Amino acid sequence: MVRKRTSLVTMTVVTAMLTSCGLTGVRQGGGGEERQSGAAPTARPNVPASTSASSSPTGDGADTRPALASTQSTETPTLKIEVVGLNRVAGKHLVIQLRLSNTGTDKQLSWTGELGDNTRPLGEIRWASGIGVLDAPAHRWILPYKPADSPCLCSDEQRDDLGYFIEPGKSITVYAVTPAPSGNPATTTVVAPPGPPMIDVPISDDPVTPPPGQDIPDPDAQPVTVISHRVTVPSESLDKSEETADDGRDLQVNLSSDVLFALNKADLTSRAKAVLTRTAKLVDTSAGATVTVEGHADSSGTDAINDPLSQRRAQTVQRALSGLLTRSGVRFQAKGYGSRKPLYSNDDEEGRRRNRRVTVTFAKPRPAETRPATTPGADPVPDGNGPTSRAKYDGQPFAVEVTGLRRLAGDLGVLTYKISNEGDAEAWNHELNWSADWMSYKYHAASNVRLTDAAARRQYLPGRILVQTDDGTDTYCACTEMAGVRLSTGQIAPGRPKEFWSLFALPTGASSVQIKIAQYPPLRVAVP
């Protein structure tokens, strides 16, 4: 069951202000993994085993290494984040070192809240627990290990004597130790909560070099728990007949029961064949031998009605798909779940409509052939100067500019866009988190962004980070956060633009997509 956020008013202000690093291990399952690594207490030769720091690596000249990549905090534009070290250790660990700089001239910056990981339970605001990597081919969001005696194998403001604030013009260097991304890649995408991901950062196999006064712990010196979350990217047909979720391994196709069946019936409608034919073609291109079919209902009615109805509908879809497939050797498993596994809140009609579904899950199909470009007139995004559209918010004129659309492995893409207040007074851009599916997320985020492939009549939604909990799955937007310490991210002062980001699936055959951000007029951008 997906845990839903039920109150727009609370916006988890107190919760996320305290959230940083208290952690309960993620159990083995569909979303996260828990395993033990490195019980031997011996230190690797290229990573010091000590976890103490004799002095604080702060101030001018403390760490002058060239940056491998950089980003800015969306909430605090004067906070600059630079990757100054990215080293693979023993072929299985990754040491990430970030330089945090206060580029302002008059205000101290607190860094611990900005670097904290919202997906972990409450704890002190001390750790750089949100630093990690996006393993795009595996669709995994990888965060620092959890050792037995600490919430995070990462920088600790108190233990490492880093100081709570960064003075104007000064910098500190923080670290995180994570599992290495799969496949021994030469580069990876480094993520940190304050700003957009840093893409194609080169990984070194050289020994780790920490700044003066800082020691980095050896992950093989003690048992550690892997913290890794599944990333799924959803899309939906424009006619609302189906929506899909791709986690890099499996494709989950949610077929609308309102399209497939009449009310309270399990017989297919005249529209159902076209929808099921499209689904059968996807199954035909998959190499998987097993297809699961699950029937689901909304919260209306009782279990006595919903359970048998969802079972009959799952069996009906199974029989129909079996007759439409062109390949042999496919095994089906059909089951009805009634209203026990909602994807969306049942508090409104749109959520209930989406929860009335039959879900077909199978191994992700092979990439489809690239179709000819059919959508001319796209604007490229060269050197960060992209197309712009304008709207009024809170009485002030605003502009949104697409600054990048980068393709990653695993059919993923990162969209970045800049919002500027062109008026003369500070104003809010609340609509960024007012998407139709906002209640499916644990916290508020800039989720009101859609990519549309007009030729394929398909719409792409922001990616989701799925975190397994004791009572289900918490869903976080793979996009700019707008809750807790980042509650005022949508508040923009004149002359102080902010850059936002979202993770999407990118169509392989489209030459361009239409990008709709909140209530701004849509933009058309070339697909890389």
Side-chain angles (χ1 to χ4, degrees):
M1 173 178 178
V2 180
R3 181 183 300 171
K4 302 295 188 303
R5 184 185 50 193
T6 58
S7 174
L8 179 64
V9 178
T10 60
M11 298 183 76
T12 62
V13 180
V14 177
T15 299
M17 286 294 289
L18 295 174
T19 298
S20 180
C21 285
L23 174 66
T24 301
V26 181
R27 286 173 167 72
Q28 183 79 26
E33 293 181 1
E34 177 176 328
R35 62 179 174 86
Q36 299 299 313
S37 171
T42 56
R44 294 286 173 184
N46 61 344
V47 181
S50 170
T51 59
S52 63
S54 57
S55 63
S56 174
T58 61
D60 294 331
D63 190 345
T64 59
R65 288 175 288 178
L68 303 173
S70 66
T71 191
Q72 299 283 139
S73 168
T74 304
E75 165 69 13
T76 311
T78 54
L79 176 60
K80 185 177 183 180
I81 304 104
E82 299 171 291
V83 180
V84 292
L86 190 63
N87 297 76
R88 188 165 25 225
V89 178
K92 60 181 179 179
H93 310 299
L94 195 68
V95 175
I96 308 166
Q97 297 181 74
L98 301 184
R99 182 169 57 223
L100 311 178
S101 301
N102 182 351
T103 62
T105 59
D106 57 350
K107 291 182 179 179
Q108 296 176 318
L109 295 182
S110 61
W111 64 272
T112 51
E114 288 264 28
L115 269 292
D117 170 26
N118 256 353
T119 70
R120 307 191 191 194
L122 294 176
E124 294 182 75
I125 303 178
R126 290 171 44 184
W127 294 277
S129 57
I131 300 171
V133 294
L134 169 61
D135 185 351
H139 281 228
R140 304 297 297 194
W141 195 272
I142 302 174
L143 293 169
Y145 291 114
K146 181 195 180 304
D149 60 352
S150 170
C152 176
L153 205 63
C154 63
S155 288
D156 178 343
E157 177 258 324
Q158 294 181 11
R159 182 196 64 214
D160 297 333
D161 193 25
L162 288 169
Y164 188 77
F165 294 103
I166 306 175
E167 299 293 331
K170 303 291 185 179
S171 65
I172 65 170
T173 301
V174 297
Y175 71 85
V177 185
T178 76
S182 60
N184 197 38
T187 66
T188 193
T189 297
V190 177
V191 294
M198 292 165 277
I199 300 170
D200 289 335
V201 185
I203 300 174
S204 172
D205 289 299
D206 293 337
V208 176
T209 304
Q214 186 179 85
D215 291 329
I216 296 176
D218 176 11
D220 284 327
Q222 59 181 311
V224 293
T225 300
V226 171
I227 307 299
S228 170
H229 305 310
R230 185 160 50 104
V231 174
T232 183
V233 281
S235 67
E236 60 187 13
S237 60
L238 295 184
D239 64 5
K240 299 185 182 297
S241 62
E242 52 87 3
E243 59 182 64
T244 64
D246 174 6
D247 68 2
R249 181 187 62 188
D250 293 329
L251 187 66
Q252 184 181 85
V253 182
N254 295 310
L255 306 174
S256 171
S257 291
D258 292 4
V259 173
L260 297 178
F261 308 102
L263 181 65
N264 294 328
K265 301 294 183 182
D267 301 319
L268 294 174
T269 65
S270 58
R271 294 180 60 194
K273 185 174 181 179
V275 175
L276 293 172
T277 298
R278 292 198 300 265
T279 305
K281 288 180 179 178
L282 291 173
V283 177
D284 275 333
T285 59
S286 168
T290 302
V291 176
T292 63
V293 183
E294 300 177 352
H296 301 279
D298 63 23
S299 59
S300 303
T302 64
D303 290 345
I305 296 173
N306 290 334
D307 289 357
L309 178 62
S310 64
Q311 177 70 28
R312 292 198 305 273
R313 286 179 168 180
Q315 292 169 337
T316 298
V317 169
Q318 173 191 330
R319 289 192 295 269
L321 286 177
S322 180
L324 291 169
L325 294 184
T326 60
R327 69 181 177 101
S328 59
V330 178
R331 298 188 304 272
F332 283 89
Q333 298 174 352
K335 186 174 181 179
Y337 288 90
S339 60
R340 289 185 293 279
K341 297 176 70 173
L343 287 178
Y344 301 92
S345 169
N346 280 298
D347 292 343
D348 57 48
E349 177 50 39
E350 176 64 10
R352 290 190 292 273
R353 180 192 69 78
R354 292 185 178 215
N355 286 331
R356 296 189 294 269
R357 69 196 191 279
V358 175
T359 300
V360 183
T361 305
F362 47 93
K364 182 179 177 181
R366 295 182 294 272
E369 293 184 8
T370 301
R371 66 176 184 275
T374 57
T375 315
D379 295 315
V381 189
D383 303 323
N385 298 312
T388 302
S389 66
R390 289 174 167 80
K392 270 201 167 184
Y393 288 101
D394 210 11
Q396 299 297 313
F398 274 79
V400 62
E401 176 189 354
V402 173
T403 56
L405 184 60
R406 299 280 301 276
R407 185 179 289 277
L408 309 179
D411 297 327
L412 300 181
V414 173
L415 170 72
T416 54
Y417 55 98
K418 181 172 63 179
I419 294 180
S420 304
N421 180 350
E422 297 181 332
D424 55 9
E426 192 169 66
W428 286 84
N429 216 160
H430 287 298
E431 289 82 354
L432 280 171
N433 61 41
W434 288 354
S435 59
D437 55 348
W438 69 269
M439 289 188 71
S440 65
Y441 297 110
K442 175 79 172 181
Y443 296 124
H444 285 268
S447 59
N448 195 6
V449 183
R450 298 290 184 269
L451 271 60
T452 300
D453 180 357
R457 296 191 55 75
R458 190 152 205 89
Q459 181 172 256
Y460 296 82
L461 287 66
R464 300 174 181 187
I465 303 168
L466 305 180
V467 179
Q468 295 298 309
T469 66
D470 290 339
D471 59 350
T473 303
D474 283 342
T475 302
Y476 298 80
C477 186
C479 63
T480 299
E481 298 175 356
M482 300 183 70
V485 296
R486 283 169 278 279
L487 183 64
S488 59
T489 298
Q491 188 176 22
I492 302 176
R496 300 293 296 270
K498 293 184 176 183
E499 189 169 45
F500 296 77
W501 72 276
S502 294
L503 181 73
F504 289 92
L506 283 186
T508 56
S511 62
S512 67
V513 290
Q514 176 182 281
I515 298 177
K516 184 74 168 66
I517 300 170
Q519 302 305 311
Y520 294 96
L523 301 165
R524 186 165 297 284
V525 174
V527 175

